[in-house]
């Protein structure tokens, strides 16, 4: 488990170095803006589920209702909230006359909220169920795939922040 943390830290440093190597100052700023917007909406909308999930995790697992719970959570909460966040961003952009120029970020923010939030919730269950090796393996694999897809997308689609941002989305599916 400790070795997994060292690998996560190393991959995070490598990822940051690769992002700053491929993206110029403006693209990197847009990438950080997109991640910041995602983090804001995730903190406001998805994070409040954490205590509920943590307190009821063993009940869902013992009653064999984990899949049912995730289906309801995904379709009744995560997807609608993610789309609502996209609408809020769209309205903000319209009211302040394209002040952030975020029209192209809205789909990526919605996808990030859907996939990364779902991935994080599912991944936490492995940690709660004492499947630490699986938890660390999935976390490290996600970080590695982010780097791999980031470089691949930049080679295919060019050096821009959307290439790296969508690699972040794809690595969490």
């Amino acid at each position: 488990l400790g070795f997994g943390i060292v690998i996560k830290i190393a991959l995070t440093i490598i990822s940051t170095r690769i992002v700053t190597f491929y993206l110029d100052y403006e693209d990197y700023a847009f990438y950080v803006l997109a991640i910041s917007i995602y983090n804001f909406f995730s903190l406001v909308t998805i994070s409040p589920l954490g205590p509920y999930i943590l307190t009821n995790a063993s009940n869902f697992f013992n009653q064999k209702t984990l899949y049912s719970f995730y289906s309801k959570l995904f379709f009744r909460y995560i997807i609608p909230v993610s789309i609502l966040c996209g609408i809020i961003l769209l309205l903000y952009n319209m009211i302040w006359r394209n002040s952030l120029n975020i029209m192209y970020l809205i789909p990526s923010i919605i996808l990030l909220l859907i996939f990364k939030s779902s991935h994080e919730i599912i991944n936490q269950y492995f940690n709660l169920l004492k499947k630490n090796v699986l938890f660390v393996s999935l976390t490290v694999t996600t970080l590695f795939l982010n780097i791999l897809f980031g470089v691949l997308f930049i080679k295919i689609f060019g050096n821009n922040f959307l290439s790296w941002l969508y690699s972040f989305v794809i690595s969490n599916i």
Side-chain angles (χ1 to χ4, degrees), residues 30-43 85 89 92 100 102 105-106 109 112-113:
F30 281 125
Y31 176 73
V32 170
L33 174 66
I35 297 299
S36 297
I37 292 170
Y38 158 74
N39 284 333
F40 169 75
F41 282 117
S42 178
L43 182 68
C85 292
L89 282 172
Y92 176 87
L100 290 177
I102 56 174
L105 289 180
I106 292 172
I109 298 297
L112 267 175
L113 281 167

Side-chain angles (χ1 to χ4, degrees), residues 96-128:
W96 276 276
R97 299 181 193 256
N98 214 18
S99 62
L100 290 177
N101 195 16
I102 56 174
M103 287 298 293
Y104 47 83
L105 289 180
I106 292 172
S108 62
I109 298 297
I110 291 172
L111 291 173
L112 267 175
L113 281 167
I114 291 171
F115 293 121
K116 184 154 177 50
S117 300
S118 300
H119 180 268
E120 288 175 354
I121 290 170
I122 291 169
N123 208 8
Q124 287 303 318
Y125 264 110
F126 293 122
N127 197 25
L128 287 170

